Amino acid sequence: MLSMATCSSCWVLKQYLIVGFLFVIIISSIQPVNGCFTSIFSFGDSLTDTGNLLEISLLESNKLPPSAFPPNGRTFFHHPSGRRCYGRLVIDFLAEALGIPFLRPSYTTKVGRLQKFQKGMNFAVAGATALNSSFLQENGIHNRSTNISLGDELNSFKHLLPSLCSSSADCKKLLRNSLIVMGVIGGNDYNHAFREKNNEAARKFVPLVVHTIASAIHELIELGAVTFLVPGNFPIGCSPDLLTNYQGSNKDKYDPLTGCLTWLNQFSQHHNELLRTELEKLRNRHPDINIVYADYYNIAMRFYHSPKQFGFKETLKACCGIGGLYNYNSSRSCGYPPLKSSCNDPSSYISWDGIHYTEAANKWLANVVFEDLMKSTTCVPY
């Protein structure tokens, strides 16, 4: 059984209001910095993918992903960019804040458009899992988006690394001056199980997913990386897709303050607790390595407890969706017909398409994560 924090709803709300006030003060004082990192290398799934699944689809199939179609990309980029959002992702905001260009998808190199990637590269692929696809299939879980896992992303990185540096010493120097963003990853392992209502499989996967993430970090440390940003899982009990999937649950399954499914959020917390424990073991094993945990869960929960404070009017509905209590239908992805349009003001929504966050939510997340990152590094403001 997963444990629930023993505190009253009123006390929790009071704490979120206090923290939220400090949160806004932090955001208003953030400045871009220079001298932190020369490059960023990122791994993960659709929450971080800046175009890899699109590039893979162009290369290997005739069917393009939803991220290839509007209204995805309609604001900042003014065209679909391969991102599952109408604007920027957390990784984009982090790159901007660090004075680094937006990360190019690594699969760009595989379709004949090799670019200079010294400033970094994004290996995240929408639909990617932490665990490999054969293991998931053996456990009754089928990933319809892609067969790519974190191990595949890591292998791609190791394959391309020599093209970015002339010697082993140069590669270690490159990695020493780089920020490694490890995730978000693992959400698809769980979500595929939850969508099939195979809750027992999802619970069984948690220690395996966390171990896989820790092993990937250890492997990158061996290659010379020294600074990692590792996000935890989001409050998935507030996600319109899973709220729709489990719609009709008993009222006592929902948080009366937020409308989120309590047991799913407890699941996210369980993952995060195990992940933090593994990260602490890595820190003890490698005392010279800087591993920063990004607490996506508690940052995002502030949105649901105090939405008006962050400019949100809709907390549990998708901006780009159709039908039902949560404006979400799993058979009609944002970007595919007939979903070629979205709400008038995406910035007033937390969820973009029922699974991914809006640019507005991504910006709030990135700013707090950036602040935490700055506390652990020596950087010089512009």
Side-chain angles (χ1 to χ4, degrees), residues 323-352:
L325 181 61
Y326 303 104
N327 199 36
Y328 177 79
N329 186 325
S330 61
S331 64
R332 298 184 178 183
S333 297
C334 178
Y336 286 155
L339 281 179
K340 292 291 187 178
S341 61
S342 61
C343 63
N344 292 329
D345 182 15
S347 66
S348 66
Y349 283 66
I350 296 174
S351 177
W352 165 237

Side-chain angles (χ1 to χ4, degrees), residues 61-79:
S61 72
N62 294 321
K63 184 178 180 180
L64 296 178
S67 59
F69 303 100
N72 291 295
R74 80 179 197 190
T75 57
F76 183 83
F77 298 100
H78 304 295
H79 61 82

Side-chain angles (χ1 to χ4, degrees), residues 9-132:
S9 297
C10 292
W11 184 89
V12 171
L13 180 59
K14 180 180 178 182
Q15 296 306 306
Y16 271 107
L17 290 173
I18 294 171
V19 173
F21 175 73
L22 297 174
F23 180 69
V24 174
I25 293 175
I26 288 173
I27 295 301
S28 64
S29 64
I30 286 178
Q31 294 178 307
V33 297
N34 191 21
C36 295
F37 310 102
T38 59
S39 54
I40 301 174
F41 295 100
S42 62
F43 304 84
D45 55 28
S46 56
L47 295 165
T48 308
D49 185 0
T50 55
N52 274 317
L53 185 60
L54 175 57
E55 296 285 358
I56 293 170
S57 300
L58 289 169
L59 179 66
E60 299 178 358
S61 72
N62 294 321
K63 184 178 180 180
L64 296 178
S67 59
F69 303 100
N72 291 295
R74 80 179 197 190
T75 57
F76 183 83
F77 298 100
H78 304 295
H79 61 82
S81 64
R83 293 163 173 81
R84 295 294 297 269
C85 186
Y86 65 95
R88 289 161 288 183
L89 309 179
V90 171
I91 192 68
D92 296 316
F93 286 112
L94 290 176
E96 283 184 322
L98 292 168
I100 291 174
F102 291 144
L103 301 186
R104 295 180 181 272
S106 62
Y107 271 81
T108 298
T109 65
K110 292 180 170 59
V111 292
R113 299 198 301 273
L114 184 61
Q115 304 287 343
K116 293 182 178 179
F117 288 96
Q118 282 78 9
K119 289 291 184 180
M121 196 182 305
N122 191 350
F123 292 85
V125 180
T129 54
L131 306 174
N132 67 62

Side-chain angles (χ1 to χ4, degrees), residues 195-261:
R195 286 167 190 149
E196 297 176 16
K197 297 192 175 180
N198 191 344
N199 300 352
E200 187 58 37
R203 292 187 180 94
K204 184 176 72 173
F205 292 160
V206 178
L208 301 175
V209 166
V210 169
H211 174 74
T212 300
I213 295 170
S215 296
I217 294 171
H218 176 73
E219 194 164 347
L220 289 165
I221 291 172
E222 294 296 308
L223 291 173
V226 299
T227 306
F228 295 84
L229 179 66
V230 187
N233 203 356
F234 289 98
I236 61 174
C238 305
S239 180
D241 69 324
L242 291 179
L243 283 167
T244 299
N245 195 52
Y246 288 97
Q247 190 173 346
S249 298
N250 294 334
K251 288 184 179 180
D252 59 1
K253 300 291 185 181
Y254 295 88
D255 182 337
L257 291 176
T258 64
C260 302
L261 277 167

